[in-house]
Amino acid sequence: MTFSLTSIISALNAKVSGSFEDFKPENISIDSRSLQNGNGTLFFALTGSHHDGHQYIQQLINKGVRNFVVQYIPDGLENKANFLVVENTLFALQQMAGYYRSLFSFPIIGITGSNGKTIVKEWLNFLLSPDYSVVRSPKSYNSQVGVPLSVFGINEQHDLGIFEAGISQKGEMEKLENIIQPNIGVFTSIGSAHDEGFLSQEEKIAEKTKLFNHCSLVVLEKNPLIEHYISQPKLTWSFTDKNATLFVSQKWAENTATRLTLVYQDQTFEVTLPFTDEFSIQNAMNCIGVLLYLNTSISVITERIQNLYPIEIRLQAKKGINNCIIIDDSYSSDYQSLKIALDFLEQQKLHQKKTIIVSDIFQSGLPTEVLYQKVFSTLQNNHIDRIITIGETISNYLSKLPHVISFSSTADFLKQFNTQSFQNETVLVKGARSFNFDEIVVLLEEKKHETVMEINLDAITYNLNFYRSKLKPETKVMVMLKAFGYGNGGFEIAKLLEHLKVDYLGVAFADEGVELRKAGISTPIIVLNPENYSFNTMIAYDLEPEIYSINGLHSFLKIAQEKNISQYPIHIKLDTGMHRLGFEAAQLDELIAVLKNNNFVAVKSIFSHLAASDDKQFDAFTYKQFECYQENSKKLTETLHIKPIRHILNTSGIFNYPEMQMEMVRLGIGLYGIGNSDYENQQLQNVSTLKSIISQIRIVEKGESVGYSRKFIANKPTTVASIPIGYADGIRRSLGNQKSYVTINGQRADIIGNICMDTLMVDVTRVNCKEGDEVIIFGERPKVTELAEFLNTIPYEILTGISQRVKRVFYKN
């Protein structure tokens, strides 16, 4: 196989700068922060409206990286590394991935659709791995960047590939098709995801089906609308249409399983699926279609399909015992996903000490010795303090790494498990499903009750980028983390935001900033409500105060003088009509007099706050505020001869008044998926999902009551489920008595009776459910905005009211 720097230069038609020795990349990287960057890396300096990978080339050179694909060579670096200069680095990454894919001739399965892509990919991997050496997309790597990075995981030992492709707008799928070049296609479903990027559902279907332009066959549920856009041969399946290639003639549920009778090419056979929900059954049918096309025997299909299992595709960060952070990736073990998990570990680590618990690694396609040499180097480069290996093979190959503890099986590890051996560290649990590492996670995880709030870090990234798209490239972004990140979490989100290179973080009080500093956050932090007594603490932890009064300014200057500090950054707040905090116009002369010729502090920014940026009916007032701000800030800057950062826009201001953005904006509730209009909300992704479980189900007879004060009297036999969450967890009592609802297995269940301190009750008479089933208190349905409407309040109050006793789980796909 020819894949070296020489062939890459030719494939990209790149201009070359540097003294090249031919070089075969061991690592394709787009992230300067990854600890896996080194002399075997080829780095692509991707650019966007608010990021530029070229800025980090010098520090990458310092780490030993010598080969870069760039759009320009940064000043002063011309002779320090080898540069492949192209017009567009993202296109070059995709072009190179397409070239790399073309070097292999084995079959590739390409999967697209609105939902189910990752599950179908993982199930196909499980079903086909006994017969093939499979390479697949790690996690949900299905984007314009994720797909090319996935393709680089192919090697000479593989003989089948499974890659998923996701798009959000026109023109994207053709690029992904050129990279994946699939021979077999799977269309999972069509839904509302990413509707905003297309004029109609038909346009979205037409775009998605471009993935199949060169396929020999496409597997999908029989649907004339979708089939219209697919000219290739099709293997269709259906529960209702006997003309489908694969027809389900009978279907019945048995406890936790579903039995199907299938008809295919005059053959009739039965399969048993370990699921009862429609979504899983549909995904399994797509898998059966692929297996049939690949001539898998009926006996093998029936044997393997009954062993399908729930897919956990998320990397989760959880609070652990003894002040640990647990990164849970306990369901998969391959080399590509190991690298992703290690980057997530570095991003989310709260403590300097890092531990990994790792099993034997499967499905790499590499010879065992080559695979574990790569694993050895990767763990070494990531500076892991303690490595716990479980499995005979990995234990043999990693024995020479320092601080390795080896066990032959998970059972052996559990026998010797000691809670006191894990203290103040970040622990990555990374294992193949067959090793049952979920048992280890249970032991390491901090024990709290069964109600959790899940925080989608991918959605936070998406929402940040949405608001950044409204800004000029040079505009800075300050993100508000006050009130425990609007109830979502503090340092975990701050770690992500620092990774995403926001310019400032904002907190309400000094102690919030101190906690972030203790967690290792180095991004500048502004304290928006500093009490005078906290100024010493703020200086000790490098926190920057908002100054909104003469008294506050004098107090801070006194401490700065006592400590002999010079040019300490402060932020001046102007009151332009909010009338909450800030200097009014009449106080500016006194403010100028104090600041003039004063070397103890430096005015880093001057800002104000819009009172009604969320309501366009107050346009005139908002523009009057902005005019007042411009006039007063100009007086300060010109008199003091300074050029501070200016900012007035909050979340709704970014959306409604982008012309007022100046040098910086402040992003708050929008980051967490909540806008101030229906249209704005449609553009954002849900971040927070509050979940619990059904703890008990009972039948309440007619005339009997439920809960305190007998507020609910059954007028007929009613099935009632009790949920272990109540007003002590932040669920307002006024949501009871059928004012609101929860979602169980996709179905609505009204809250009945008074909400108790630790429990609420719901009517599940018409809901198919059992004890232990998951309950959504809020998330996609009902949304936080719905609950706010029920209560005649704002979403802020709902989110910030969720108790700290509710465990937060942070995840990314």
Side-chain angles (χ1 to χ4, degrees):
M1 184 187 71
T2 305
F3 186 66
S4 62
L5 211 54
T6 302
S7 60
I8 291 168
I9 292 167
S10 176
L12 299 183
N13 193 26
K15 297 178 181 177
V16 176
S17 173
S19 53
F20 281 91
E21 294 180 7
D22 209 8
F23 158 82
K24 184 175 181 179
E26 298 174 4
N27 177 39
I28 306 298
S29 177
I30 62 168
D31 188 350
S32 63
R33 296 156 292 200
S34 174
L35 295 180
Q36 295 156 47
N37 291 318
N39 58 16
T41 294
L42 177 61
F43 183 83
F44 282 75
L46 301 186
T47 63
S49 57
H50 290 274
H51 67 270
D52 185 352
H54 299 79
Q55 297 176 2
Y56 311 107
I57 289 177
Q58 178 63 73
Q59 67 187 58
L60 286 163
I61 291 173
N62 296 341
K63 291 180 180 179
V65 181
R66 289 292 174 267
N67 298 285
F68 299 86
V69 180
V70 298
Q71 291 172 197
Y72 63 90
I73 302 173
D75 291 343
L77 301 183
E78 290 83 355
N79 300 312
K80 292 187 177 182
N82 301 322
F83 295 99
L84 280 61
V85 184
V86 297
E87 287 188 14
N88 183 298
T89 46
L90 174 58
F91 178 71
L93 177 70
Q94 295 169 337
Q95 191 178 15
M96 191 176 89
Y99 164 71
Y100 184 72
R101 159 67 180 95
S102 70
L103 300 176
F104 301 89
S105 58
F106 57 77
I108 296 284
I109 301 170
I111 306 171
T112 194
S114 297
N115 301 292
K117 295 185 292 294
T118 302
I119 292 172
V120 170
K121 177 198 69 185
E122 293 297 324
W123 280 356
L124 283 174
N125 174 66
F126 167 76
L127 295 165
L128 292 169
S129 287
D131 307 317
Y132 298 90
S133 177
V134 179
V135 59
R136 70 194 192 279
S137 313
K139 301 296 179 182
S140 297
Y141 269 41
N142 59 30
S143 67
Q144 298 292 301
V145 173
V147 168
L149 292 178
S150 299
V151 165
F152 290 125
I154 300 174
N155 64 54
E156 293 92 335
Q157 305 302 315
H158 293 125
D159 55 17
L160 180 71
I162 312 173
F163 296 98
E164 55 178 294
I167 58 170
S168 57
Q169 60 188 16
K170 285 190 67 175
E172 291 185 335
M173 189 58 87
E174 286 178 301
K175 297 174 183 176
L176 300 186
E177 195 275 338
N178 288 334
I179 299 168
I180 299 172
Q181 301 166 34
N183 313 96
I184 303 166
V186 179
F187 195 103
T188 60
S189 67
I190 190 67
S192 59
H194 300 298
D195 272 355
E196 66 277 4
F198 303 93
L199 297 176
S200 65
Q201 191 175 71
E202 288 79 4
E203 184 179 74
K204 182 164 69 171
I205 293 170
E207 181 68 21
K208 283 182 176 289
T209 53
K210 289 177 181 177
L211 178 64
F212 311 133
N213 282 348
H214 299 95
C215 283
S216 302
L217 181 95
V218 180
V219 176
L220 74 158
E221 182 175 10
K222 192 161 184 60
N223 183 322
L225 179 60
I226 299 173
E227 292 177 63
H228 171 75
Y229 292 96
I230 302 173
S231 59
Q232 292 72 25
K234 293 172 279 290
L235 190 161
T236 60
W237 58 267
S238 178
F239 294 101
T240 58
D241 191 337
K242 293 183 178 180
N243 293 319
T245 319
L246 176 62
F247 177 62
V248 183
S249 63
Q250 293 187 65
K251 168 188 167 188
W252 61 97
E254 295 181 336
N255 297 322
T256 59
T258 302
R259 291 177 61 193
L260 304 176
T261 300
L262 306 179
V263 180
Y264 175 73
Q265 293 182 348
D266 298 324
Q267 299 179 80
T268 300
F269 60 99
E270 285 190 1
V271 296
T272 300
L273 307 176
F275 306 101
T276 57
D277 64 288
E278 293 298 322
F279 183 62
S280 295
I281 294 169
Q282 291 166 6
N283 289 331
M285 289 299 298
N286 281 315
C287 293
I288 292 170
V290 173
L291 294 178
L292 288 169
Y293 177 69
L294 292 174
N295 296 316
T296 309
S297 70
I298 299 299
S299 61
V300 168
I301 292 175
T302 55
E303 177 190 350
R304 292 180 188 171
I305 209 79
Q306 66 185 344
N307 294 317
L308 291 179
Y309 52 90
I311 296 296
E312 182 56 75
I313 60 174
R314 308 178 304 182
L315 278 163
Q316 300 184 71
K318 306 174 178 179
K319 287 188 177 179
I321 58 175
N322 305 326
N323 198 33
C324 291
I325 296 296
I326 311 303
I327 308 295
D328 181 2
D329 195 13
S330 55
Y331 292 91
S332 68
S333 182
D334 59 82
Y335 181 60
Q336 287 289 91
S337 66
L338 173 64
K339 294 195 295 182
I340 293 169
L342 286 168
D343 281 343
F344 188 64
L345 166 65
E346 188 64 23
Q347 177 187 319
Q348 281 293 313
K349 68 177 182 183
L350 173 60
H351 310 285
Q352 285 305 309
K353 183 179 179 182
K354 296 184 292 186
T355 293
I356 180 172
I357 304 173
V358 59
S359 77
D360 285 347
I361 293 174
F362 304 133
Q363 301 166 335
S364 71
L366 295 167
T368 302
E369 189 168 342
V370 174
L371 166 65
Y372 283 106
Q373 182 56 51
K374 284 179 171 288
V375 174
F376 188 104
S377 299
T378 299
L379 293 176
Q380 196 172 46
N381 292 340
N382 276 267
H383 310 301
I384 305 298
D385 297 280
R386 179 170 53 159
I387 301 167
I388 299 173
T389 62
I390 298 180
E392 299 288 353
T393 307
I394 194 169
S395 297
N396 289 336
Y397 280 97
L398 299 190
S399 60
K400 293 183 180 179
L401 276 171
H403 311 300
V404 171
I405 306 169
S406 298
F407 298 89
S408 60
S409 68
T410 303
D412 287 342
F413 170 81
L414 295 175
K415 284 177 186 175
Q416 301 182 48
F417 179 81
N418 180 355
T419 57
Q420 295 308 306
S421 63
F422 293 89
Q423 302 265 352
N424 302 308
E425 57 194 295
T426 306
V427 184
L428 170 61
V429 183
K430 175 72 178 164
R433 182 175 178 272
S434 59
F435 280 84
N436 298 319
F437 272 17
D438 51 334
E439 296 179 28
I440 297 175
V441 173
V442 168
L443 292 175
L444 290 173
E445 194 175 353
E446 183 180 63
K447 302 301 181 287
K448 291 198 175 182
H449 68 100
E450 292 152 320
T451 296
V452 300
M453 187 140 89
E454 293 186 344
I455 312 300
N456 185 340
L457 298 177
D458 289 330
I460 288 179
T461 301
Y462 176 92
N463 295 336
L464 173 64
N465 289 334
F466 167 73
Y467 285 103
R468 276 177 163 169
S469 72
K470 303 288 181 184
L471 305 175
K472 300 171 186 175
E474 65 271 17
T475 302
K476 298 179 186 296
V477 177
M478 172 180 170
V479 174
M480 308 308 298
L481 281 177
K482 59 184 180 178
F484 190 55
Y486 291 73
N488 291 279
F491 77 82
E492 298 91 347
I493 294 175
K495 288 275 187 184
L496 174 64
L497 296 173
E498 188 162 72
H499 185 76
L500 297 172
K501 300 192 181 299
V502 300
D503 300 281
Y504 279 88
L505 300 174
V507 298
F509 300 104
D511 55 354
E512 295 175 319
V514 169
E515 289 304 310
L516 294 181
R517 287 286 184 248
K518 286 181 177 179
I521 301 299
S522 59
T523 301
I525 298 173
I526 300 177
V527 180
L528 297 169
N529 295 89
E531 299 98 339
N532 291 356
Y533 72 82
S534 68
F535 285 150
N536 275 306
T537 300
M538 292 177 62
I539 291 171
Y541 285 92
D542 193 26
L543 306 174
E544 302 176 15
E546 169 191 310
I547 301 295
Y548 53 81
S549 69
I550 291 295
N551 287 338
L553 178 57
H554 280 306
S555 296
F556 190 81
L557 287 173
K558 180 180 178 183
I559 292 172
Q561 187 172 9
E562 289 172 354
K563 294 180 176 293
N564 196 27
I565 293 172
S566 64
Q567 301 296 308
Y568 196 91
I570 64 172
H571 302 264
I572 300 296
K573 173 75 173 288
L574 301 179
D575 181 5
T576 58
M578 180 80 165
H579 297 327
R580 184 172 62 181
L581 295 172
F583 292 94
E584 296 181 338
Q587 299 171 298
L588 293 187
D589 288 338
E590 185 178 3
L591 173 63
I592 290 168
V594 175
L595 290 174
K596 203 164 189 177
N597 301 319
N598 190 316
N599 292 322
F600 295 113
V601 294
V603 179
K604 192 73 174 179
S605 81
I606 299 174
F607 69 104
S608 188
H609 195 74
L610 297 176
S613 61
D614 59 331
D615 194 336
K616 295 289 285 183
Q617 71 170 315
F618 296 117
D619 263 2
F621 181 82
T622 298
Y623 280 107
K624 184 178 178 181
Q625 272 197 274
F626 185 55
E627 182 182 344
C628 176
Y629 170 77
Q630 286 182 304
E631 181 181 335
N632 291 346
S633 61
K634 182 179 180 182
K635 181 175 181 177
L636 287 175
T637 57
E638 290 185 351
T639 307
L640 294 172
H641 306 293
I642 56 176
K643 289 187 176 181
I645 299 167
R646 299 170 302 159
H647 49 112
I648 195 171
L649 293 186
N650 53 5
T651 294
S652 50
I654 298 169
F655 193 79
N656 291 326
Y657 302 97
E659 69 275 16
M660 299 181 188
Q661 64 188 263
M662 296 178 290
E663 288 83 34
M664 188 161 75
V665 298
R666 302 186 302 275
L667 178 58
I669 194 71
L671 182 78
Y672 307 100
I674 298 170
N676 288 292
S677 69
D678 289 341
Y679 178 72
E680 188 176 355
N681 282 321
Q682 289 169 11
Q683 315 304 310
L684 302 173
Q685 291 187 0
N686 179 67
V687 168
S688 312
T689 301
L690 183 59
K691 293 182 174 182
S692 192
I693 64 164
I694 297 175
S695 53
Q696 190 176 40
I697 296 177
R698 71 180 69 245
I699 303 294
V700 175
E701 299 297 339
K702 180 178 179 180
E704 293 184 349
S705 62
V706 174
Y708 286 119
S709 304
R710 304 197 72 205
K711 289 295 185 182
F712 177 83
I713 307 291
N715 58 15
K716 58 184 178 182
T718 304
T719 306
V720 177
S722 297
I723 318 299
I725 183 172
Y727 58 76
D729 301 291
I731 307 302
R732 298 268 291 276
R733 285 185 82 242
S734 47
L735 286 172
N737 300 307
Q738 297 170 286
K739 187 78 173 286
S740 184
Y741 68 96
V742 301
T743 300
I744 303 172
N745 296 329
Q747 302 164 83
R748 173 177 173 139
D750 288 341
I751 300 173
I752 57 176
N754 278 331
I755 292 173
C756 310
M757 179 179 288
D758 308 299
T759 309
L760 60 82
M761 290 72 73
V762 297
D763 182 353
V764 293
T765 305
R766 298 180 180 276
V767 177
N768 180 20
C769 62
K770 61 185 183 299
E771 292 179 0
D773 278 359
E774 182 179 87
V775 179
I776 304 298
I777 313 301
F778 64 68
E780 289 291 350
R781 180 170 174 262
K783 293 184 178 294
V784 170
T785 49
E786 281 185 78
L787 301 189
E789 288 176 11
F790 295 154
L791 294 171
N792 193 28
T793 185
I794 57 175
Y796 299 70
E797 189 172 355
I798 305 294
L799 285 176
T800 58
I802 301 303
S803 167
Q804 294 285 319
R805 82 174 186 175
V806 175
K807 179 172 64 178
R808 272 66 171 177
V809 175
F810 301 84
Y811 71 91
K812 68 184 277 106
N813 292 323

